[in-house]
Amino acid sequence: MPDESKEKIGKVAPLGEKSKPVKAKKTADPLNASIDAATQEMIARAQELGIETVFDRAENMKPCNIGTQGTCCKNCAMGPCRLPLPKSVSEDEDTRKGLCGATPNTIAARNFLRMIAAGAAAHSDHGRGVAEIFLSAARKETEAYKIKDFHKLLSVAPYLNVATTVDVDGKQLDRDIDEIALEVAEKALKEWGKSEGELLYLKRAPQPLYEKWKKAGVLPRNIDREIVEIMHRTHIGVDQDYINLIKQGTRAAIADGWGGSMLATDLQDVLFGTPSPLESEANLGVMKEDHVNIVIHGHEPVLSEMIVAVTQTKEMEDYAKSKGARGIQLSGICCTANEILQRHGVPLCGTFLQQELAIITGACDAMVVDIQCIFQNVANVAKCFHTKLITTHPIAKMEQDNVIHIEFDEHHALEDAKKIVKMAADNFQNRGSEVMIPPHKHTQIAGFGVEAIEYHLGGAFRGSYYTLNDNIINGRIRGIAGVVGCNNARTRHNEGHLAVVKELIKKDVIVLTTGCNGIACAMEGLLTPESAPVYCGPGLAEICETVGIPPVLHLGSCVDNSRILLAATEVVKAGGLGNDISDLPAAGSAPEWMSEKAISIGHYFVSSGVYTVFGVTLPTSGAPVFQKYIFEELENLYGGMWDLEVDPIKHAQKMIAHIDKKRKALGIDKARKRIMVDMSTRRELASS
Ligand code: BF8
């Protein structure tokens, strides 16, 4: 284990240099850092080996207070101008301004918009990459990718104005499927940069929502333009009105949720298959000591799909055996993991905060990364072990010299995947004696989507969300929550996620999850039907038991938050719960968010009519007027609004209060009261 790769704790300056002792570095308390046993054990293991992790770094570097408040402006070289919120100052007395005169509202709004721009760009550029591969597949330029789900292709085509039938002598006949695929690919790609019109998918939203966007003047024109315009407007001396600024943030966020992300999800489903429920496992304990372990990390399924295909071949299985392993164990971190979980049942190795820990097991023969949420420090950790760290995407390389770059290309995708799998198998023999895989994992049922929810809760014959709506109306299900997002090292790993979700299901709110929240719930066993009688209120438990679903439905990766928008739209369409998403007894949450993508997601939830609560912090607290605008005034435009609540129980209770408010407005609060009986009353009723 090369010593230079370790960040020594309590290091002392070398002799000859100023002999001022370096302050001893603090280490994280594993029990305070995470509520997950596997994570706690691996943090302790890292410290035993003298390897620093994100949990230790969080102890040694405090976040900047002014940045946290959203009031540091570094958009020109006269700054950074720092405008911390004074301890006590009324709105009228607040005279803070930057050198150019920018107010805290302008600065916080600009920063917020730039986060939306980065988040929308990340999701949408991912989507564009998928669309390009899709075009390649439609043109039959690649052997590796082929259309897998024709049914989904035909369902998506009309939204892109692609005809699925053709008129032959007055008769409507099915159109050639290859022709449809090609036109879908071309039309989809145009959504990023077309010069006129508006995004085609906006029409998928409920009509009243579309009309709200139109009235507010926020219909996105194309995906790229809305992101670029944010960068223009937030340059020094351009838009200096927080209300006008956030309007552009709304355009870009809608372009993400109902554009780039939704296209990514749809095209991935057509190419790789629409998910349907399947069984798998989650947590670091899915790694196997006697197998070649390949951990896939990032967000794009285009390469990982190939790695899954290659590892399943007998050739690779035999190759791994020839190297002394019993087979190949694939597992994933972050949203690439969610993608291959949803479609293939590949187990989840861990959440965002567990990426370094997967290598510290000493059993990770290769970590293959693509884009987004990858710590640069995984390269330093990999140096301490035999692990091959492989970057695969041209836009995401690392400077450390131990990182191997194998650029992935759809034209030789299978060869690339094979090269990577072989490299991992060859590396199995280089393992040291320091293997320690924590024995913790949990079974999960994942693979839900709009279609699977329809099937399980609507009934195959009805083909609608009728049963779900019916049970919301009669009060067995109190409402729907979308709980999503990251881990954040500034808060105890997974504590917020699980406390919020458990409180919601305890109060009969069904949870739709994605991203790292989905992984956290899987690790806790909440993605199993068996968890329903343990954690749910009586109404939700009864539904889960009757239809055999978990109370928390895993819908996939973060681009798959678009599935939540579409599921909500289906609920509106099924009837009885109002005319718009904002009428539904529903709420959104990101208890442990940290990424710019989360801000974009939060804002498209809000702009789609969803009351959305974030945990940890929000970079708006230093600009109370702007914060009030997004917490209160946006509701008048779109029906949804932001909120912040750090305490997870209060966080969930705020969501439930909003759900109850909506139930009351719909006149279905009485129905719920009728069935609200506790277990002892139920037993009495049953025995009488
Ligand atoms: O896109 S939830 S930490 S992995 S950003 Fe990243 Fe956040 Fe996890 Fe997926 Ni989403």
Side-chain angles (χ1 to χ4, degrees):
M1 203 179 294
D3 256 351
E4 70 276 9
S5 307
K6 299 182 191 173
E7 282 284 337
K8 287 288 185 196
I9 296 158
K11 205 160 56 178
V12 173
L15 283 177
E17 285 179 22
K18 272 193 180 169
S19 60
K20 197 171 136 199
V22 179
K23 217 167 138 192
K25 280 193 173 180
K26 292 185 215 155
T27 52
D29 173 352
L31 298 183
N32 281 339
S34 175
I35 59 162
D36 169 54
T39 306
Q40 292 167 353
E41 286 168 25
M42 290 313 296
I43 295 171
R45 173 68 173 159
Q47 290 170 355
E48 190 182 294
L49 296 171
I51 300 169
E52 185 197 73
T53 66
V54 60
F55 300 98
D56 303 313
R57 289 190 292 280
E59 292 296 319
N60 290 290
M61 187 195 287
K62 294 293 160 211
C64 163
N65 185 37
I66 307 161
T68 303
Q69 294 181 8
T71 46
C72 171
C73 183
K74 55 181 181 60
N75 295 10
C76 87
M78 296 194 292
C81 293
R82 296 165 303 151
L83 274 60
L85 185 67
K87 282 236 160 56
S88 62
V89 65
S90 73
E91 236 172 66
D92 307 337
E93 293 164 344
D94 191 353
T95 55
R96 291 175 293 157
K97 44 175 100 71
L99 261 63
C100 70
T103 65
N105 298 324
T106 300
I107 292 172
R110 279 177 179 162
N111 289 335
F112 200 73
L113 255 67
R114 285 193 170 204
M115 293 183 89
I116 293 176
H123 288 140
S124 301
D125 210 32
H126 161 182
R128 185 203 322 265
V130 177
E132 283 169 349
I133 301 241
F134 190 97
L135 180 63
S136 229
R139 286 179 176 158
K140 302 200 187 301
E141 292 169 350
T142 163
E143 268 300 293
Y145 300 101
K146 295 201 167 56
I147 307 289
K148 213 173 203 174
D149 190 338
F150 292 103
H151 181 72
K152 182 95 183 203
L153 175 66
L154 294 176
S155 75
V156 161
Y159 297 117
L160 292 165
N161 296 338
V162 176
T164 55
T165 56
V166 59
D167 191 325
V168 178
D169 301 331
K171 280 189 195 153
Q172 285 300 310
L173 300 180
D174 288 344
R175 193 179 170 200
D176 178 67
I177 201 83
D178 289 341
E179 245 181 67
I180 297 172
L182 191 59
E183 200 182 332
V184 162
E186 287 166 352
K187 288 258 174 74
L189 263 172
K190 282 203 178 116
E191 292 299 280
W192 272 266
K194 63 189 181 188
S195 54
E196 289 181 322
E198 63 195 39
L199 284 190
L200 296 172
Y201 268 16
L202 301 178
K203 293 271 167 60
R204 298 182 78 170
Q207 180 72 13
L209 179 56
Y210 177 86
E211 294 303 332
K212 281 176 194 161
W213 292 337
K214 195 171 176 184
K215 192 169 164 216
V218 295
L219 294 172
R221 295 153 288 187
N222 69 51
I223 298 162
D224 287 349
R225 181 171 181 176
E226 305 311 351
I227 295 165
V228 169
E229 193 170 309
I230 285 186
M231 299 313 286
H232 179 188
R233 283 196 191 204
T234 58
H235 185 276
I236 181 175
V238 188
D239 205 345
Q240 298 162 47
D241 171 7
Y242 64 92
I243 295 174
N244 204 40
L245 277 161
I246 198 66
K247 202 165 146 183
Q248 182 54 26
T250 303
R251 269 196 206 101
I254 296 171
D256 176 359
W258 296 86
S261 283
M262 201 172 276
L263 282 161
T265 297
D266 277 349
L267 299 180
Q268 284 171 180
D269 281 358
V270 177
L271 266 185
F272 308 130
T274 302
S276 60
L278 39 70
E279 190 176 318
S280 186
E281 291 177 326
N283 213 343
L284 292 162
V286 303
M287 295 174 79
K288 291 182 182 154
E289 188 162 357
D290 53 5
H291 279 56
V292 173
N293 286 291
I294 305 175
V295 177
I296 300 180
H297 176 17
H299 282 76
E300 277 201 0
V302 291
L303 168 65
S304 49
E305 280 284 330
M306 295 300 110
I307 294 188
V308 173
V310 165
T311 50
Q312 286 168 352
T313 61
K314 184 158 186 319
E315 183 195 350
M316 281 301 118
E317 187 78 13
D318 289 346
Y319 190 78
K321 284 181 181 156
S322 76
K323 301 292 171 184
R326 293 189 69 177
I328 303 170
Q329 178 63 40
L330 207 56
S331 62
I333 305 260
C334 287
C335 285
T336 298
N338 284 324
E339 299 278 5
I340 51 176
L341 162 75
Q342 295 288 98
R343 299 192 178 89
H344 303 285
V346 172
L348 299 166
C349 188
T351 64
F352 171 70
L353 282 184
Q354 291 170 287
Q355 55 188 285
E356 293 164 307
L357 308 181
I359 298 176
I360 294 167
T361 59
C364 178
D365 302 301
M367 180 176 273
V368 187
V369 302
D370 49 67
I371 48 163
Q372 301 170 21
C373 301
I374 297 142
F375 287 172
Q376 186 163 358
N377 199 57
V378 289
N380 301 332
V381 176
K383 272 189 193 175
C384 303
F385 297 89
H386 74 303
T387 306
K388 301 269 185 215
L389 179 63
I390 304 165
T391 54
T392 55
H393 204 289
I395 70 161
K397 296 188 177 181
M398 288 185 185
E399 70 183 72
Q400 287 99 322
D401 57 11
N402 60 323
V403 181
I404 303 158
H405 187 71
I406 300 179
E407 195 150 310
F408 172 70
D409 182 322
E410 73 265 28
H411 299 105
H412 39 78
L414 284 167
E415 290 79 6
D416 291 338
K418 214 167 167 181
K419 192 168 161 189
I420 289 169
V421 174
K422 274 191 161 177
M423 190 179 277
D426 290 338
N427 201 26
F428 179 76
Q429 292 170 329
N430 298 328
R431 282 216 196 142
S433 56
E434 59 275 278
V435 172
M436 187 195 127
I437 300 172
H440 308 285
K441 59 180 178 180
H442 214 295
T443 305
Q444 58 167 326
I445 307 293
F448 287 88
V450 178
E451 299 82 354
I453 296 174
E454 181 176 277
Y455 176 75
H456 283 272
L457 279 163
F461 300 111
R462 291 192 191 96
S464 83
Y465 275 50
Y466 174 85
T467 310
L468 174 61
N469 283 32
D470 200 28
N471 281 298
I472 294 173
I473 293 165
N474 70 27
R476 282 192 187 88
I477 296 177
R478 190 177 200 144
I480 308 169
V483 189
V484 307
C486 327
N487 283 141
N488 186 320
R490 300 297 178 192
T491 186
R492 197 172 176 209
H493 172 240
N494 284 359
E495 185 174 57
H497 280 315
L498 299 176
V500 168
V501 169
K502 283 181 183 171
E503 182 67 14
L504 288 168
I505 60 177
K506 187 170 127 193
K507 302 285 163 55
D508 293 314
V509 176
I510 193 166
V511 172
L512 309 182
T513 179
T514 63
C516 288
N517 180 274
I519 303 175
C521 290
M523 285 160 56
E524 185 72 0
L526 298 178
L527 303 189
T528 58
E530 294 74 29
S531 68
V534 181
Y535 294 107
C536 296
L540 181 58
E542 190 182 332
I543 300 294
C544 292
E545 203 181 356
T546 309
V547 291
I549 55 163
V552 183
L553 304 178
H554 194 351
L555 269 64
S557 68
C558 285
V559 292
D560 293 331
N561 282 311
S562 59
R563 296 191 202 274
I564 298 182
L565 297 177
L566 291 178
T569 304
E570 290 304 317
V571 173
V572 173
K573 276 196 221 159
L577 292 170
N579 299 317
D580 198 353
I581 293 176
S582 59
D583 295 333
L584 301 177
S589 156
E592 299 183 27
W593 80 280
M594 63 85 209
S595 77
E596 292 164 314
K597 290 182 286 173
I599 293 290
S600 183
I601 293 164
H603 200 62
Y604 73 62
F605 267 45
V606 167
S607 312
S608 301
V610 183
Y611 168 61
T612 304
V613 193
F614 270 37
V616 192
T617 181
L618 258 191
T620 52
S621 59
V625 176
F626 172 61
Q627 179 164 281
K628 188 164 182 274
Y629 185 76
I630 64 167
F631 279 25
E632 294 173 19
E633 305 291 318
L634 285 183
E635 189 180 11
N636 300 326
L637 293 174
Y638 313 112
M641 62 286 198
W642 282 89
D643 204 350
L644 167 69
E645 180 52 66
V646 179
D647 180 287
I649 299 300
K650 285 189 197 150
H651 184 117
Q653 284 167 351
K654 279 182 159 187
M655 296 168 73
I656 293 164
H658 179 81
I659 284 169
D660 286 350
K661 187 175 97 184
K662 293 293 172 182
R663 292 189 67 86
K664 194 164 184 206
L666 290 164
I668 56 172
D669 52 327
K670 308 259 174 352
R672 176 160 180 82
K673 272 182 197 146
R674 250 197 335 267
I675 70 130
M676 272 299 285
V677 283
D678 61 20
M679 284 314 283
S680 58
T681 319
R682 282 170 156 257
R683 274 184 219 113
E684 271 171 36
L685 285 171
S687 61
S688 62

